[in-house]
Every structure is written in C-alpha cells, then in structure tokens.
CSV table of all heavy atoms in Angstrom, one decimal:
chain,number,residue,atom,x,y,z
A,16,ARG,N,-0.2,-6.5,-16.4
A,16,ARG,CA,-1.6,-6.5,-15.8
A,16,ARG,C,-2.0,-7.9,-15.6
A,16,ARG,O,-2.6,-8.2,-14.5
A,16,ARG,CB,-2.5,-5.8,-16.8
A,16,ARG,CG,-3.9,-5.6,-16.3
A,16,ARG,CD,-4.8,-4.8,-17.1
A,16,ARG,NE,-5.1,-5.4,-18.4
A,16,ARG,CZ,-4.7,-5.0,-19.6
A,16,ARG,NH1,-3.9,-3.9,-19.7
A,16,ARG,NH2,-5.0,-5.6,-20.7
A,17,THR,N,-1.7,-8.8,-16.5
A,17,THR,CA,-2.1,-10.2,-16.4
A,17,THR,C,-1.3,-10.8,-15.2
A,17,THR,O,-1.9,-11.6,-14.4
A,17,THR,CB,-1.7,-11.0,-17.7
A,17,THR,OG1,-2.4,-10.4,-18.8
A,17,THR,CG2,-2.1,-12.4,-17.5
A,18,LEU,N,0.0,-10.5,-15.1
A,18,LEU,CA,0.8,-11.0,-14.0
A,18,LEU,C,0.2,-10.6,-12.7
A,18,LEU,O,0.1,-11.4,-11.7
A,18,LEU,CB,2.2,-10.5,-14.2
A,18,LEU,CG,3.2,-11.0,-13.1
A,18,LEU,CD1,3.4,-12.5,-13.2
A,18,LEU,CD2,4.6,-10.3,-13.3
A,19,TYR,N,-0.2,-9.3,-12.5
A,19,TYR,CA,-0.7,-8.9,-11.3
A,19,TYR,C,-2.1,-9.6,-11.0
A,19,TYR,O,-2.4,-9.9,-9.8
A,19,TYR,CB,-0.9,-7.4,-11.3
A,19,TYR,CG,0.3,-6.6,-10.8
A,19,TYR,CD1,1.5,-6.7,-11.4
A,19,TYR,CD2,0.2,-5.8,-9.6
A,19,TYR,CE1,2.6,-6.1,-10.9
A,19,TYR,CE2,1.3,-5.1,-9.2
A,19,TYR,CZ,2.5,-5.3,-9.8
A,19,TYR,OH,3.6,-4.6,-9.3
A,20,GLN,N,-2.8,-9.8,-12.0
A,20,GLN,CA,-4.1,-10.5,-11.8
A,20,GLN,C,-3.9,-11.9,-11.3
A,20,GLN,O,-4.8,-12.5,-10.6
A,20,GLN,CB,-4.9,-10.5,-13.1
A,20,GLN,CG,-5.4,-9.2,-13.5
A,20,GLN,CD,-6.0,-9.2,-14.9
A,20,GLN,OE1,-5.8,-10.1,-15.7
A,20,GLN,NE2,-6.7,-8.1,-15.3
A,21,GLN,N,-2.8,-12.5,-11.6
A,21,GLN,CA,-2.5,-13.9,-11.2
A,21,GLN,C,-1.7,-14.0,-9.9
A,21,GLN,O,-1.3,-15.1,-9.6
A,21,GLN,CB,-1.8,-14.6,-12.3
A,21,GLN,CG,-2.6,-14.7,-13.6
A,21,GLN,CD,-1.8,-15.2,-14.8
A,21,GLN,OE1,-0.5,-15.3,-14.7
A,21,GLN,NE2,-2.4,-15.5,-15.9
A,22,THR,N,-1.4,-12.9,-9.2
A,22,THR,CA,-0.5,-12.9,-8.0
A,22,THR,C,-1.3,-12.4,-6.8
A,22,THR,O,-1.1,-11.2,-6.5
A,22,THR,CB,0.8,-12.2,-8.3
A,22,THR,OG1,1.3,-12.5,-9.6
A,22,THR,CG2,1.8,-12.4,-7.2
A,23,PRO,N,-2.0,-13.2,-6.1
A,23,PRO,CA,-2.8,-12.6,-5.0
A,23,PRO,C,-1.9,-12.0,-3.9
A,23,PRO,O,-2.4,-11.0,-3.2
A,23,PRO,CB,-3.5,-13.9,-4.4
A,23,PRO,CG,-3.6,-14.8,-5.6
A,23,PRO,CD,-2.4,-14.6,-6.4
A,24,ALA,N,-0.7,-12.4,-3.7
A,24,ALA,CA,0.2,-11.8,-2.7
A,24,ALA,C,0.4,-10.4,-2.9
A,24,ALA,O,0.5,-9.6,-2.0
A,24,ALA,CB,1.5,-12.6,-2.6
A,25,ILE,N,0.5,-10.0,-4.2
A,25,ILE,CA,0.7,-8.6,-4.5
A,25,ILE,C,-0.6,-7.8,-4.3
A,25,ILE,O,-0.5,-6.6,-4.0
A,25,ILE,CB,1.3,-8.4,-5.9
A,25,ILE,CG1,2.1,-7.1,-6.0
A,25,ILE,CG2,0.2,-8.3,-7.0
A,25,ILE,CD1,3.4,-7.1,-5.2
A,26,TRP,N,-1.7,-8.4,-4.4
A,26,TRP,CA,-3.0,-7.8,-4.0
A,26,TRP,C,-2.9,-7.4,-2.6
A,26,TRP,O,-3.3,-6.2,-2.2
A,26,TRP,CB,-4.2,-8.7,-4.3
A,26,TRP,CG,-4.3,-9.3,-5.6
A,26,TRP,CD1,-3.6,-9.0,-6.7
A,26,TRP,CD2,-5.3,-10.3,-6.0
A,26,TRP,NE1,-4.1,-9.8,-7.8
A,26,TRP,CE2,-5.1,-10.6,-7.3
A,26,TRP,CE3,-6.3,-11.0,-5.3
A,26,TRP,CZ2,-5.9,-11.5,-8.0
A,26,TRP,CZ3,-7.1,-11.9,-5.9
A,26,TRP,CH2,-6.8,-12.2,-7.3
A,27,LEU,N,-2.5,-8.3,-1.7
A,27,LEU,CA,-2.4,-8.0,-0.3
A,27,LEU,C,-1.5,-6.9,0.0
A,27,LEU,O,-1.8,-6.0,0.8
A,27,LEU,CB,-2.0,-9.3,0.5
A,27,LEU,CG,-1.8,-9.1,2.0
A,27,LEU,CD1,-3.1,-8.6,2.6
A,27,LEU,CD2,-1.4,-10.4,2.6
A,28,ALA,N,-0.3,-6.9,-0.7
A,28,ALA,CA,0.6,-5.8,-0.4
A,28,ALA,C,0.0,-4.4,-0.8
A,28,ALA,O,0.2,-3.5,0.0
A,28,ALA,CB,1.9,-6.0,-1.2
A,29,LEU,N,-0.7,-4.4,-1.9
A,29,LEU,CA,-1.2,-3.1,-2.4
A,29,LEU,C,-2.4,-2.7,-1.5
A,29,LEU,O,-2.6,-1.5,-1.2
A,29,LEU,CB,-1.6,-3.2,-3.8
A,29,LEU,CG,-0.5,-3.3,-4.8
A,29,LEU,CD1,-1.0,-3.6,-6.2
A,29,LEU,CD2,0.3,-2.0,-4.8
A,30,LEU,N,-3.2,-3.6,-1.1
A,30,LEU,CA,-4.3,-3.3,-0.2
A,30,LEU,C,-3.8,-2.8,1.2
A,30,LEU,O,-4.3,-1.8,1.7
A,30,LEU,CB,-5.2,-4.5,0.0
A,30,LEU,CG,-6.1,-4.9,-1.1
A,30,LEU,CD1,-6.7,-6.3,-0.9
A,30,LEU,CD2,-7.2,-3.8,-1.3
A,31,LEU,N,-2.8,-3.4,1.7
A,31,LEU,CA,-2.2,-2.9,3.0
A,31,LEU,C,-1.6,-1.5,2.8
A,31,LEU,O,-1.8,-0.7,3.7
A,31,LEU,CB,-1.1,-3.9,3.4
A,31,LEU,CG,-1.6,-5.3,3.9
A,31,LEU,CD1,-0.4,-6.2,4.2
A,31,LEU,CD2,-2.5,-5.2,5.1
A,32,ALA,N,-0.9,-1.3,1.7
A,32,ALA,CA,-0.4,0.0,1.4
A,32,ALA,C,-1.5,1.1,1.3
A,32,ALA,O,-1.4,2.2,1.9
A,32,ALA,CB,0.4,0.0,0.1
A,33,ALA,N,-2.6,0.7,0.6
A,33,ALA,CA,-3.6,1.7,0.4
A,33,ALA,C,-4.3,2.0,1.7
A,33,ALA,O,-4.5,3.2,1.9
A,33,ALA,CB,-4.7,1.1,-0.6
A,34,PHE,N,-4.7,1.1,2.5
A,34,PHE,CA,-5.4,1.4,3.7
A,34,PHE,C,-4.4,2.0,4.7
A,34,PHE,O,-4.9,2.8,5.6
A,34,PHE,CB,-6.0,0.1,4.3
A,34,PHE,CG,-7.3,-0.3,3.6
A,34,PHE,CD1,-7.3,-1.3,2.7
A,34,PHE,CD2,-8.4,0.4,3.9
A,34,PHE,CE1,-8.5,-1.7,2.1
A,34,PHE,CE2,-9.6,0.1,3.2
A,34,PHE,CZ,-9.6,-1.0,2.3
A,35,ALA,N,-3.1,1.7,4.6
A,35,ALA,CA,-2.2,2.4,5.5
A,35,ALA,C,-2.0,3.9,5.2
A,35,ALA,O,-1.5,4.6,6.0
A,35,ALA,CB,-0.8,1.7,5.5
A,36,CYS,N,-2.5,4.3,4.0
A,36,CYS,CA,-2.4,5.7,3.7
A,36,CYS,C,-3.6,6.5,4.3
A,36,CYS,O,-3.5,7.8,4.3
A,36,CYS,CB,-2.5,5.9,2.1
A,36,CYS,SG,-1.0,5.4,1.2
A,37,VAL,N,-4.6,5.9,4.8
A,37,VAL,CA,-5.7,6.6,5.4
A,37,VAL,C,-5.3,7.6,6.4
A,37,VAL,O,-5.9,8.7,6.5
A,37,VAL,CB,-6.8,5.6,5.9
A,37,VAL,CG1,-7.9,6.3,6.7
A,37,VAL,CG2,-7.3,4.8,4.8
A,38,PRO,N,-4.4,7.3,7.4
A,38,PRO,CA,-4.0,8.3,8.4
A,38,PRO,C,-3.4,9.6,7.7
A,38,PRO,O,-3.4,10.7,8.4
A,38,PRO,CB,-2.9,7.6,9.2
A,38,PRO,CG,-3.2,6.2,9.1
A,38,PRO,CD,-3.7,6.0,7.7
A,39,MET,N,-3.0,9.5,6.5
A,39,MET,CA,-2.5,10.7,5.8
A,39,MET,C,-3.6,11.8,5.6
A,39,MET,O,-3.3,13.0,5.3
A,39,MET,CB,-1.9,10.4,4.4
A,39,MET,CG,-0.8,9.4,4.5
A,39,MET,SD,0.7,10.1,5.2
A,39,MET,CE,1.2,11.3,4.0
A,40,LEU,N,-4.9,11.4,5.7
A,40,LEU,CA,-6.0,12.3,5.6
A,40,LEU,C,-6.0,13.3,6.9
A,40,LEU,O,-6.5,14.4,6.8
A,40,LEU,CB,-7.3,11.6,5.5
A,40,LEU,CG,-7.5,10.7,4.3
A,40,LEU,CD1,-8.8,9.9,4.4
A,40,LEU,CD2,-7.4,11.5,3.0
A,41,LYS,N,-5.4,12.8,8.0
A,41,LYS,CA,-5.3,13.6,9.2
A,41,LYS,C,-4.1,14.6,9.1
A,41,LYS,O,-4.2,15.7,9.4
A,41,LYS,CB,-5.2,12.7,10.4
A,41,LYS,CG,-6.5,12.0,10.7
A,41,LYS,CD,-7.4,12.8,11.5
A,41,LYS,CE,-8.6,12.1,12.1
A,41,LYS,NZ,-9.5,12.9,12.9
A,42,THR,N,-2.9,14.0,8.8
A,42,THR,CA,-1.7,14.8,8.8
A,42,THR,C,-0.7,14.2,7.8
A,42,THR,O,-0.8,12.9,7.6
A,42,THR,CB,-1.0,14.9,10.2
A,42,THR,OG1,0.1,15.7,10.1
A,42,THR,CG2,-0.7,13.6,10.7
A,43,GLN,N,0.1,15.0,7.2
A,43,GLN,CA,1.0,14.5,6.1
A,43,GLN,C,2.5,14.4,6.5
A,43,GLN,O,3.3,14.6,5.6
A,43,GLN,CB,0.8,15.3,4.8
A,43,GLN,CG,-0.6,15.2,4.3
A,43,GLN,CD,-1.6,16.1,5.1
A,43,GLN,OE1,-1.3,17.2,5.4
A,43,GLN,NE2,-2.8,15.6,5.3
A,44,ALA,N,2.8,14.3,7.8
A,44,ALA,CA,4.2,14.1,8.2
A,44,ALA,C,4.7,12.8,7.5
A,44,ALA,O,4.0,11.8,7.4
A,44,ALA,CB,4.3,14.0,9.7
A,45,SER,N,5.9,12.9,7.0
A,45,SER,CA,6.4,11.8,6.2
A,45,SER,C,6.5,10.5,6.9
A,45,SER,O,6.3,9.4,6.2
A,45,SER,CB,7.8,12.2,5.6
A,45,SER,OG,8.7,12.4,6.6
A,46,HIS,N,6.7,10.5,8.2
A,46,HIS,CA,6.7,9.2,8.9
A,46,HIS,C,5.4,8.5,8.9
A,46,HIS,O,5.3,7.3,9.0
A,46,HIS,CB,7.3,9.3,10.3
A,46,HIS,CG,6.5,10.1,11.2
A,46,HIS,ND1,6.7,11.5,11.3
A,46,HIS,CD2,5.5,9.8,12.1
A,46,HIS,CE1,5.8,12.0,12.2
A,46,HIS,NE2,5.1,11.0,12.7
A,47,TYR,N,4.3,9.2,8.7
A,47,TYR,CA,3.0,8.6,8.6
A,47,TYR,C,2.8,7.8,7.4
A,47,TYR,O,2.0,6.9,7.3
A,47,TYR,CB,1.9,9.7,8.6
A,47,TYR,CG,1.4,10.1,10.0
A,47,TYR,CD1,2.3,10.8,10.9
A,47,TYR,CD2,0.1,9.9,10.4
A,47,TYR,CE1,1.8,11.2,12.1
A,47,TYR,CE2,-0.3,10.3,11.6
A,47,TYR,CZ,0.5,10.9,12.5
A,47,TYR,OH,0.1,11.3,13.7
A,48,PHE,N,3.6,8.1,6.4
A,48,PHE,CA,3.6,7.3,5.1
A,48,PHE,C,4.4,6.1,5.1
A,48,PHE,O,4.3,5.2,4.3
A,48,PHE,CB,4.0,8.3,4.0
A,48,PHE,CG,3.8,7.8,2.6
A,48,PHE,CD1,2.5,7.5,2.2
A,48,PHE,CD2,4.8,7.5,1.7
A,48,PHE,CE1,2.3,7.0,0.9
A,48,PHE,CE2,4.6,7.1,0.4
A,48,PHE,CZ,3.3,6.8,0.0
A,49,PHE,N,5.3,5.9,6.1
A,49,PHE,CA,6.2,4.8,6.1
A,49,PHE,C,5.6,3.5,6.1
A,49,PHE,O,6.0,2.5,5.5
A,49,PHE,CB,7.2,5.0,7.3
A,49,PHE,CG,8.3,4.0,7.3
A,49,PHE,CD1,9.3,4.1,6.4
A,49,PHE,CD2,8.3,2.9,8.2
A,49,PHE,CE1,10.4,3.1,6.4
A,49,PHE,CE2,9.4,2.0,8.2
A,49,PHE,CZ,10.4,2.1,7.3
A,50,GLN,N,4.5,3.3,6.9
A,50,GLN,CA,3.8,2.0,7.0
A,50,GLN,C,3.2,1.6,5.7
A,50,GLN,O,3.0,0.4,5.5
A,50,GLN,CB,2.8,2.1,8.2
A,50,GLN,CG,1.7,3.1,7.9
A,50,GLN,CD,0.8,3.3,9.2
A,50,GLN,OE1,1.2,3.0,10.3
A,50,GLN,NE2,-0.4,3.8,9.0
A,51,ALA,N,2.8,2.6,4.9
A,51,ALA,CA,2.4,2.3,3.5
A,51,ALA,C,3.6,2.1,2.6
A,51,ALA,O,3.5,1.2,1.7
A,51,ALA,CB,1.5,3.4,3.0
A,52,ALA,N,4.6,2.9,2.8
A,52,ALA,CA,5.7,2.9,1.9
A,52,ALA,C,6.4,1.5,1.8
A,52,ALA,O,6.9,1.1,0.8
A,52,ALA,CB,6.8,3.9,2.3
A,53,VAL,N,6.5,0.8,3.0
A,53,VAL,CA,7.2,-0.5,3.0
A,53,VAL,C,6.5,-1.5,2.0
A,53,VAL,O,7.1,-2.3,1.4
A,53,VAL,CB,7.3,-1.1,4.4
A,53,VAL,CG1,8.2,-0.2,5.2
A,53,VAL,CG2,5.9,-1.2,5.0
A,54,PHE,N,5.2,-1.4,1.9
A,54,PHE,CA,4.4,-2.3,1.0
A,54,PHE,C,4.5,-1.7,-0.5
A,54,PHE,O,4.5,-2.5,-1.4
A,54,PHE,CB,3.0,-2.5,1.5
A,54,PHE,CG,3.0,-3.4,2.7
A,54,PHE,CD1,2.8,-2.9,3.9
A,54,PHE,CD2,3.2,-4.8,2.5
A,54,PHE,CE1,2.8,-3.7,5.0
A,54,PHE,CE2,3.1,-5.6,3.6
A,54,PHE,CZ,2.9,-5.1,4.9
A,55,PHE,N,4.5,-0.4,-0.6
A,55,PHE,CA,4.7,0.1,-1.9
A,55,PHE,C,6.1,-0.3,-2.5
A,55,PHE,O,6.3,-0.5,-3.7
A,55,PHE,CB,4.6,1.6,-1.9
A,55,PHE,CG,3.1,2.1,-1.9
A,55,PHE,CD1,2.7,3.1,-1.0
A,55,PHE,CD2,2.2,1.6,-2.9
A,55,PHE,CE1,1.4,3.5,-1.0
A,55,PHE,CE2,0.9,2.1,-2.9
A,55,PHE,CZ,0.5,3.0,-2.0
A,56,CYS,N,7.1,-0.3,-1.6
A,56,CYS,CA,8.4,-0.7,-2.0
A,56,CYS,C,8.4,-2.2,-2.5
A,56,CYS,O,9.1,-2.6,-3.4
A,56,CYS,CB,9.4,-0.6,-0.8
A,56,CYS,SG,9.9,1.1,-0.5
A,57,LEU,N,7.6,-3.0,-1.8
A,57,LEU,CA,7.5,-4.4,-2.2
A,57,LEU,C,6.9,-4.5,-3.6
A,57,LEU,O,7.4,-5.3,-4.4
A,57,LEU,CB,6.7,-5.1,-1.1
A,57,LEU,CG,6.7,-6.7,-1.1
A,57,LEU,CD1,6.4,-7.2,0.3
A,57,LEU,CD2,5.8,-7.3,-2.1
C-alpha cells in the first residue's frame, strides 16, 4: 500500500484501466475489456 502511494505512474495505469472499463456498461464482449486489460496487466 505504501509502495503504491509513492508510485504515481501506477496511479495512471490504474486510472486508465478503470475508465477504459466504462464501455463494458454497454456490452461485455471480451475484446471491449482489452484496452483496460493491458493496464491491469501492467
């Protein structure tokens, strides 16, 4: 938790992943998740 608090780059990755999940509210085809998954993988 402390490490994440001190690493802004990972904040950006998680924020990009989170907002990239918004289209999943429309449809849940797995390729819609890919643009979020690449940052979740990071």
Side-chain angles (χ1 to χ4, degrees):
R16 185 172 70 246
T17 302
L18 179 66
Y19 269 62
Q20 290 171 349
Q21 296 172 349
T22 313
I25 208 68
W26 306 353
L27 177 57
L29 289 172
L30 285 168
L31 292 173
F34 283 103
C36 287
V37 173
M39 301 291 292
L40 298 174
K41 289 277 190 177
T42 181
Q43 297 78 43
S45 59
H46 63 271
Y47 272 66
F48 191 60
F49 186 73
Q50 62 191 21
V53 293
F54 286 103
F55 281 131
C56 288
L57 199 155

